[in-house]
Amino acid sequence: MAENMFLYWGSGSVPCWKAMIALEEKGFSGYKNKLISFDNNEMKGEDVLKLNPRGEVPTFTDGDVVVNESSAICEYLESTYKDKGTQLIPSGTKQRALVLQRMNEAVANLMHKMLLDYIYEFMETKEEDMNPDTVARKTQTLKDELNRWNDYLGKTGAYLAGPDFTMADVYFFPFIGFGVRVGLNLDSFPAMKSYYERLSSRPSIKASWPPHWKESPGSFKPLIGKM
């Protein structure tokens, strides 16, 4: 089955990493793929655009089926190949509801509060141009959000939605991995720190770890590190 799959992806992209973890967890580690260069704008190349008119990655094919958007890819893999690899969305009603909640919670909150509203903004703003009041407000907002996730993990003592690795973890871990890469200090979030250290050695995550992160340290150290 994996030989019929193809993924266009970019190293260090949270959405791409999410899809790649799901592929590994479902047992499709032999899928064909192409690493594209963001610096060279290769996601706007003809091979991607013919499958994804938005010119974005991840872009995924499974035979003649085309699936774009990372969440759609993850959910496609789980629903189409339920009997393969790790069961990422539980069958029990209550547990499934919690996993679905955490999945959507991660996208709705961490995408905006961590990536869009905090890290990306400060990556593009010179330190001398930052408004101290704005920095303080956004730092506190993000700290509150991270404390919420730390509490979730503290209650389960294992994974986001209980004792088993699920799609909630597939969605959540790349955000934390990216945060650590750019300077997130987890010392103030002990349950999250333990979770990060433990999952960093999980086979699916090790296999899909952004290759350029292995070759060079993160160069951006945002104020998030001062939490």
Side-chain angles (χ1 to χ4, degrees):
M1 294 180 185
E3 64 271 14
N4 295 322
M5 298 177 177
F6 199 102
L7 181 75
Y8 291 91
W9 61 285
S11 182
S13 157
V14 167
C16 290
W17 198 2
K18 182 169 75 173
M20 295 169 79
I21 293 172
L23 279 160
E24 294 289 337
E25 288 289 339
K26 298 308 292 182
F28 298 127
S29 58
Y31 64 90
K32 299 175 183 177
N33 67 91
K34 180 179 179 180
L35 171 61
I36 62 95
S37 168
F38 291 119
D39 290 340
N40 296 330
N41 211 34
E42 289 179 358
M43 60 282 193
K44 303 300 182 183
E46 183 179 348
D47 51 348
V48 175
L49 284 172
K50 69 182 180 182
L51 299 170
N52 187 344
R54 293 184 183 275
E56 298 173 348
V57 290
T59 289
F60 175 73
T61 62
D62 181 13
D64 60 359
V65 176
V66 179
V67 190
N68 302 315
E69 301 296 332
S70 60
S71 296
I73 293 169
C74 290
E75 294 178 44
Y76 168 82
L77 290 169
E78 179 64 12
S79 62
T80 305
Y81 300 104
K82 290 181 180 179
D83 60 335
K84 302 296 181 183
T86 306
Q87 182 180 9
L88 295 173
I89 298 181
S91 54
T93 302
K94 188 173 182 179
Q95 192 65 15
R96 183 172 68 251
L98 180 58
V99 169
L100 292 172
Q101 178 178 320
R102 295 288 184 261
M103 287 162 55
N104 287 281
E105 207 175 343
V107 174
N109 292 281
L110 289 174
M111 175 65 78
H112 292 280
K113 293 177 182 176
M114 177 184 280
L115 295 189
L116 302 182
D117 201 35
Y118 194 96
I119 293 177
Y120 288 164
E121 177 174 335
F122 292 150
M123 285 177 72
E124 298 175 359
T125 305
K126 294 180 180 179
E127 189 168 352
E128 59 267 25
D129 294 334
M130 294 182 182
N131 182 302
D133 292 337
T134 300
V135 170
R137 175 175 55 80
K138 291 190 174 184
T139 298
Q140 187 60 50
T141 297
L142 181 53
K143 184 177 181 180
D144 292 344
E145 183 64 29
L146 293 175
N147 273 322
R148 184 183 302 275
W149 292 94
N150 189 69
D151 288 345
Y152 290 160
L153 289 165
K155 290 175 182 177
T156 67
Y159 301 102
L160 268 182
D164 300 316
F165 183 93
T166 68
M167 193 71 82
D169 302 288
V170 173
Y171 277 43
F172 178 73
F173 185 86
F175 285 111
I176 302 307
F178 183 85
V180 171
R181 166 72 179 180
V182 299
L184 172 60
N185 186 338
L186 294 179
D187 288 345
S188 297
F189 313 100
M192 195 182 301
K193 182 176 182 179
S194 175
Y195 172 87
Y196 172 79
E197 292 173 346
R198 188 172 68 256
L199 264 68
S200 292
S201 62
R202 188 174 178 87
S204 63
I205 291 174
K206 288 180 67 176
S208 57
W209 199 270
H212 79 280
W213 291 8
K214 301 175 184 178
E215 301 165 2
S216 62
S219 58
F220 172 60
K221 299 298 180 184
L223 298 175
I224 192 172
K226 298 181 180 180
M227 288 184 178

